[in-house]
Amino acid sequence: ALYYGAGGFANGEIRIFTPIDTYYLETIKAECNVVLASMDLGPPHSDYSVYPDLPGLFPCGADHNGNTIYWYTQGSPNEWPIIFRAHHDSEYTRWNM
């Protein structure tokens, strides 16, 4: 296993958050609030619950265009699907990994 300190991984396009980063914890709260606010718009925004609800969307990364990547905390963590939320239209795409 590999272990890393606080911070994030970024390749110029996508930033993957690390869970011990203080910025990451604030980002989780902010992203969850954005999703919760958009749920008032109805489907497809209301199709998912938000962390700490289980199952719920848990922010794990973002890109430079304002799109957000989530784990969907459903089942075993090794089987969590990836959810991508496009910033420009708030559409959700799910990948079962």
Side-chain angles (χ1 to χ4, degrees), residues 5 7 10 12 20 26 34 37 46 52 64 69 85 95:
I20 59 173
E26 292 304 315
V34 166
S46 58
H64 69 283
I69 304 163
R85 182 178 61 84
W95 289 282

Side-chain angles (χ1 to χ4, degrees), residues 2-61:
L2 297 174
Y3 297 91
Y4 299 94
F9 297 97
N11 70 358
E13 297 292 324
I14 297 175
R15 177 187 164 119
I16 303 299
F17 309 128
T18 58
I20 59 173
D21 183 357
T22 303
Y23 173 77
Y24 174 80
L25 298 175
E26 292 304 315
T27 301
I28 288 175
K29 292 176 190 173
E31 287 298 331
C32 289
N33 286 334
V34 166
V35 176
L36 284 169
S38 71
M39 287 183 173
D40 291 337
L41 302 174
H45 309 285
S46 58
D47 290 346
Y48 297 103
S49 295
V50 179
Y51 179 83
D53 289 351
L54 298 175
L57 295 174
F58 187 87
C60 64

Side-chain angles (χ1 to χ4, degrees), residues 61-74:
D63 68 17
H64 69 283
N65 290 320
N67 303 311
T68 308
I69 304 163
Y70 303 91
W71 283 304
Y72 189 54
T73 58
Q74 180 180 39

Side-chain angles (χ1 to χ4, degrees), residues 66-90:
N67 303 311
T68 308
I69 304 163
Y70 303 91
W71 283 304
Y72 189 54
T73 58
Q74 180 180 39
S76 169
N78 289 336
E79 298 172 356
W80 286 352
I82 301 277
I83 306 291
F84 177 85
R85 182 178 61 84
H87 175 70
H88 65 281
D89 59 9
S90 295

